[in-house]
Amino acid sequence: MGDMQILPGSRHRPPMKKPMWIVVLVSFVIMFLTCAYIYRLKNRTACNMFNTRGCNTIDHWFPPVPAREYTDGEIAAHVVFRDILNSPIVMPENPKIAFMFLTPGSLPFEKLWDNFFQGHEGKFSIYVHASKSKPVHVSRYFVNRDIRSDQVVWGKMSMVDAERRLLANALQDPQNMHFVLLSDSCVPLYNFDYIFDYLMYTNISFVDCFKDPGPVGNGRYSEHMLPEVEIKDFRKGAQWFSMKRQHAVIVMADHIYYSKFQGHCEPGVDGKNCIPDEHYLPTFFTIVDPSGIANWSVTHVDWSEQKWHPKSYRNQDITYELLKNITSIDESVHVTSDEKREVQRWPCLWNGVQKPCYLFARKFTPETEDNADVDFGRILVLIQEL
Ligand SMILES: *[C@@H]1O[C@H](CO)[C@@H](O)[C@H](O)[C@H]1NC(C)=O
Ligand SMILES: *[C@@H]1O[C@H](CO)[C@@H](O)[C@H](O)[C@H]1NC(C)=O
Ligand SMILES: *[C@@H]1O[C@H](CO)[C@@H](O)[C@H](O)[C@H]1NC(C)=O
C-alpha cells in the first residue's frame, strides 16, 4: 500500500535541469575533497581550518597518508629484528640474570652486593666494566669478572659503547636471560629472590622512555638523523636499563640507528647536542618494539631538586623512612622540560598488575673509602627490615 503512494510521485518529478545541477554539485564536491586532501598532506593545516573534531572526521574519509619509503638498510634491519623478536623464547634449564656494573673503578658497595648474592649461586652472573682504574675486589663473586674496558665520557657515544660491551660479554653465556645495567652508586632495594622473580617472570624490558618536547628532549634532536630517525620517534629516558635476552640481541644487531647517534651526538658541538645514553635506547625501542618496553626504569633516582645531577644520598640520609618511601612508589612520573612542565604519570604495571616500580636505587655515596663499611652495613639492616 505504501509503495503505491511513493512510486507515482517519483515518476512525475520534472525531468529537466537535472544534468546541469549534478555536474555543478559533483564538481564542487571533487574540488572540496581535492583541496581538503592537499591541505591534509601539507602539514595538516586542514586541522586549523576545521575544528579538531572536524579534522578527525575528514581524516577518516581518506586512506592513510602513505608512510615514507624505507631505505634498503632499514628494511634489512627490520626483517632481522622482527625475526629475532618473533622467535619463541627457549628458557634454559637454569636461567640466570646478568648483573652488569658500569663503574670508574672499585665498587664501594661490593660487600653489600656480596651479601645480596650469597646463597643464590647459579642464578646470576656478574660483569664489571671499570673505565678508569682496575677495581680491587673484596667479594669472591666479583673476582675475575672484569671485562676488557675502555674510557667512558659522560654524554658521548663511549657510554653506549661500554653498555654494548657489557651486553656482548654477558650474551656469551646462553643461560643469561635478563640483563641489568647498574652503576657503582646503585644499591638493591629487595632480596635476591624478589628481584629475580620480578625480572625473570615478565616478557618486558624495563627501559625508561618518554616524549619530551622541551629543550633537553626534542631540543636535542638533529635533522641529520633523517630519514631513519624522525622527530616523532625521538625519546628520552634514564640510562639504567634492564632488558630481556631478545632485546639485548637486537641491540647488538643494530648498526643503522647506532650509527645515526654515533654520527650526530657530540655534546658541545653545535647542532649535535644529543646525549646518546639518554636517547639512543629509548628511541631505538620506540622504532623497533615500542610495546616491548615498560617505559620506566627499575632503578630509582630522585630528580626532584631539578639540578644538573640527581639527589645524592649521604650516610645521614639513608633511613628506613627513605627506603620505605622509594619502595612504596607504584607510579612512574616524567616531567617535560618545556615551559608547560607537563607531568606524565603511569601506573607501574607488571604483567597487568600494579606493583612497586623500583628494584634498585641510586645515587648512594659512601662518605669516604674508610666508612664505606659502616654505610653498607646500615643499608643492609634497613633492607632486611622492609
Ligand atoms: C612470555 O613469553 C613466553 C613465550 O612467548 C610465554 O610462554 C610466557 O607465558 C610469557 N610470560 C609472561 C609472563 O607473559
Ligand atoms: C610504552 O610506550 C609506548 C608508546 O611510546 C606504548 O606503545 C607501549 O605500549 C608502552 N609500554 C607499555 C608496557 O605500556
Ligand atoms: C617520605 O614521604 C613522605 C610523604 O611523601 C614525605 O613527607 C617524607 O619527607 C619522605 N621522607 C623521606 C626521608 O624521603
Side-chain angles (χ1 to χ4, degrees):
M1 296 284 260
D3 289 348
M4 298 288 276
Q5 286 169 345
I6 291 166
L7 282 171
S10 61
R11 215 182 271 149
H12 291 130
R13 191 179 278 166
M16 294 315 293
K17 289 183 184 173
K18 204 176 178 184
M20 195 54 198
W21 196 79
I22 289 178
V23 166
V24 169
L25 180 72
V26 165
S27 316
F28 180 77
V29 166
I30 287 174
M31 239 169 66
F32 173 79
L33 291 182
T34 309
C35 288
Y37 192 61
I38 288 167
Y39 267 118
R40 183 166 159 274
L41 285 176
K42 278 180 143 191
N43 61 26
R44 297 184 176 243
T45 36
C47 303
N48 297 335
M49 292 173 58
F50 314 97
N51 60 32
T52 317
R53 227 177 49 198
C55 178
N56 287 340
T57 316
I58 285 169
D59 269 0
H60 287 136
W61 295 354
F62 300 102
V65 177
R68 70 182 167 83
E69 200 170 69
Y70 289 117
T71 63
D72 287 348
E74 283 173 293
I75 294 170
H78 283 251
V79 163
V80 173
F81 298 153
R82 258 310 110 216
D83 219 54
I84 293 169
L85 294 173
N86 288 339
S87 45
I89 301 166
V90 185
M91 269 286 179
E93 210 164 300
N94 299 305
K96 294 194 285 188
I97 290 179
F99 291 82
M100 310 183 301
F101 290 88
L102 191 54
T103 174
S106 293
L107 293 160
F109 301 115
E110 200 170 296
K111 278 195 194 163
L112 168 66
W113 286 106
D114 179 272
N115 202 295
F116 170 81
F117 288 125
Q118 227 165 67
H120 303 284
E121 289 79 359
K123 293 176 90 177
F124 65 88
S125 39
I126 291 170
Y127 302 86
V128 181
H129 184 290
S131 54
K132 280 204 180 118
S133 56
K134 193 170 163 45
V136 178
H137 293 301
V138 292
S139 159
R140 64 199 151 119
Y141 300 123
F142 286 76
V143 172
N144 291 331
R145 302 309 300 173
D146 298 325
I147 66 162
R148 193 187 64 75
S149 66
D150 206 346
Q151 218 191 351
V152 169
V153 180
W154 184 82
K156 296 220 171 167
M157 209 58 187
S158 57
M159 186 69 97
V160 173
D161 291 338
E163 295 172 6
R164 284 166 61 105
R165 207 172 283 130
L166 279 162
L167 282 174
N169 277 270
L171 278 165
Q172 287 173 5
D173 184 339
Q175 290 184 309
N176 285 335
M177 293 305 284
H178 207 96
F179 302 77
V180 190
L181 182 71
L182 296 158
S183 82
D184 50 313
S185 71
C186 284
V187 299
L189 294 170
Y190 295 92
N191 64 30
F192 184 89
D193 285 328
Y194 184 91
I195 290 179
F196 184 90
D197 291 354
Y198 193 110
L199 297 177
M200 201 61 93
Y201 298 114
T202 183
N203 286 331
I204 290 278
S205 290
F206 297 94
V207 176
D208 190 31
C209 180
F210 78 112
K211 208 174 195 164
D212 179 0
V216 299
N218 284 0
R220 292 172 175 170
Y221 174 76
S222 153
E223 284 190 349
H224 293 295
M225 293 179 171
L226 287 171
E228 289 89 348
V229 181
E230 298 174 68
I231 194 160
K232 72 175 172 61
D233 296 323
F234 198 68
R235 294 290 186 283
K236 180 182 168 115
Q239 170 185 14
W240 309 100
F241 62 76
S242 92
M243 60 174 76
K244 58 179 188 166
R245 190 170 179 98
Q246 286 170 316
H247 281 157
V249 173
I250 63 170
V251 169
M252 287 294 99
D254 175 42
H255 175 69
I256 198 149
Y257 300 104
Y258 172 87
S259 61
K260 286 286 159 169
F261 281 82
Q262 186 184 40
H264 303 292
C265 296
E266 204 180 333
V269 177
D270 229 17
K272 292 190 172 188
N273 249 335
C274 82
I275 311 281
D277 56 81
E278 289 184 2
H279 298 280
Y280 166 57
L281 288 177
T283 304
F284 174 67
F285 282 109
T286 296
I287 296 169
V288 306
D289 192 19
S291 58
I293 58 169
N295 299 317
W296 87 85
S297 161
V298 286
T299 298
H300 177 267
V301 71
D302 183 355
W303 283 105
S304 63
E305 291 178 347
Q306 299 193 357
K307 291 190 186 147
W308 191 241
H309 288 290
K311 182 171 168 55
S312 199
Y313 303 108
R314 306 193 72 93
N315 219 355
Q316 66 268 21
D317 302 322
I318 306 168
T319 59
Y320 177 77
E321 192 194 353
L322 173 75
L323 297 183
K324 194 83 201 149
N325 274 7
I326 296 175
T327 51
S328 62
I329 300 169
D330 59 3
E331 222 179 29
S332 85
V333 179
H334 293 98
V335 185
T336 63
S337 64
D338 53 354
E339 65 283 357
K340 280 199 230 152
R341 300 225 149 257
E342 186 202 331
V343 180
Q344 306 174 4
R345 274 175 202 281
W346 306 302
C348 291
L349 296 180
W350 184 90
N351 291 344
V353 181
Q354 190 161 6
K355 285 226 183 193
C357 308
Y358 302 113
L359 304 177
F360 310 98
R362 56 193 284 272
K363 300 176 73 157
F364 288 83
T365 47
E367 305 283 284
T368 64
E369 289 280 327
D370 288 343
N371 72 3
D373 273 12
V374 183
D375 226 354
F376 70 70
R378 279 188 58 220
I379 297 173
L380 253 191
V381 172
L382 291 168
I383 288 168
Q384 245 101 75
E385 282 175 42
L386 288 174

